[in-house]
Amino acid sequence: MRMRYKPWATKELDACPFFIRHPEQYLGKWHSLFPRSQPVELELGCGKGLFLAALAPANPQVNYIGVDLKDTVLGPAKRNLEAAYREAGREPDNIILTAMNIERIADSMGPEDTVQRIYINFCNPWPKKKHHKRRLTHPRQLENYKKILVPGGEIAFKTDDDDLFADTLEYLAESGFVVTEKTYDLRALNRPDDIPTEHELMFVERGIKIKALWAKLA
Ligand SMILES: C[S@@+](CC[C@H](N)C(=O)[O-])C[C@H]1O[C@@H](n2cnc3c(N)ncnc32)[C@H](O)[C@@H]1O
């Protein structure tokens, strides 16, 4: 989905205390950005941040990092998060948003920047074989995630795309992850802890079944 240019986004983000413009400057130091030393969870491709806006204010005992590429989505994510914390009557002290190309995550996050869980929600399926390496679940990326996941750390993945889901199951096995749960119809599970994302709601409305899996680093 192409996002419309938002002239306010860059200025607002650069003035935002929980936004990091140059993530590579925090290699090895992400934990120090949070006032409380506690588990960290990372969302890759957070889009307009509605998933994190539901999760982060409700879970002050966890620190969250949301990553996306462009200010056109990070600007709305910042506003959505601010509104959610306001509504919860809390300060946004357990959330960081950052502009990062996830294909280059190793430049910005290393073994000291441990995370307990990585969420990948509705990433680009890159259907052409020549583009598969760009998928956020490709083994090339999984090797980077392995460097920051704690032992027993988890990847939680959701997609509308059948081929990406099937290939991701193979990628995970190839990279030494163990799939602990999977479903080809997430809505049918009625999981109380499931938070639908913006893209998820769009696909559900079109009658497309949501595929999801949870995988642990053995
Ligand atoms: C289809 S949207 C899904 C957004 C949200 N997770 C949801 O489920 O509604 C994919 C998001 O991933 C971001 N993205 C794609 N490739 C990326 C990359 N290499 N690095 C950072 N973000 C990326 C896009 O900018 C977009 O916001």
Side-chain angles (χ1 to χ4, degrees):
M1 193 195 303
R2 196 171 292 279
M3 289 297 297
R4 196 172 297 153
Y5 172 64
K6 295 186 175 57
W8 51 268
T10 300
K11 200 170 161 203
E12 266 195 38
L13 285 167
D14 286 338
C16 173
F18 59 86
F19 176 69
I20 300 291
R21 169 69 66 197
H22 298 291
E24 62 285 353
Q25 292 176 354
Y26 291 91
L27 177 65
K29 300 179 198 156
W30 287 88
H31 287 205
S32 72
L33 291 170
F34 295 99
R36 291 186 295 283
S37 173
Q38 52 191 16
V40 177
E41 298 188 356
L42 173 68
E43 188 189 8
L44 301 178
C46 65
K48 293 186 197 165
L50 293 177
F51 181 78
L52 287 175
L55 209 54
N59 292 286
Q61 75 289 357
V62 177
N63 292 329
Y64 293 90
I65 303 173
V67 176
D68 210 289
L69 269 179
K70 299 181 198 124
D71 287 8
T72 46
V73 288
L74 287 164
K78 175 240 174 211
R79 286 188 175 183
N80 286 329
L81 281 156
E82 283 174 339
Y85 277 98
R86 210 178 303 124
E87 200 177 319
R90 293 181 27 80
E91 288 301 311
D93 58 3
N94 64 329
I95 180 75
I96 297 286
L97 279 181
T98 186
M100 185 197 295
N101 181 348
I102 297 153
E103 290 181 52
R104 301 181 58 102
I105 192 171
D107 294 346
S108 301
M109 299 185 99
E112 287 167 355
D113 305 305
T114 47
V115 302
Q116 254 71 10
R117 182 177 293 139
I118 296 177
Y119 297 99
I120 306 174
N121 295 323
F122 301 90
C123 62
N124 191 327
W126 293 108
K128 289 187 184 157
K129 199 168 173 52
K130 66 175 179 184
H131 292 143
H132 282 188
K133 278 198 178 139
R134 305 195 67 181
R135 290 171 161 177
L136 296 188
T137 58
H138 189 275
R140 187 174 74 161
Q141 293 303 323
L142 294 178
E143 289 308 312
N144 289 327
Y145 309 156
K146 278 161 77 171
K147 290 179 196 149
I148 56 172
L149 273 170
V150 297
E154 186 176 62
I155 292 181
F157 172 65
K158 299 199 268 192
T159 183
D160 58 302
D161 192 276
D162 293 330
D163 290 339
L164 176 64
F165 192 69
D167 289 348
T168 295
L169 287 168
E170 286 182 22
Y171 297 157
L172 287 162
E174 201 180 304
S175 302
F177 284 86
V178 176
V179 173
T180 53
E181 194 179 348
K182 69 171 190 254
T183 176
Y184 292 85
D185 186 2
L186 179 61
R187 298 307 269 219
L189 286 189
N190 276 324
R191 275 176 71 121
D193 60 342
D194 184 53
I195 297 171
T197 76
E198 194 195 333
H199 279 71
E200 183 167 348
L201 293 174
M202 196 174 75
F203 292 123
V204 168
E205 205 170 292
R206 288 189 208 157
I208 298 170
K209 288 202 165 65
I210 305 305
K211 279 62 70 179
L213 64 80
W214 294 263
K216 288 221 161 168
L217 193 49

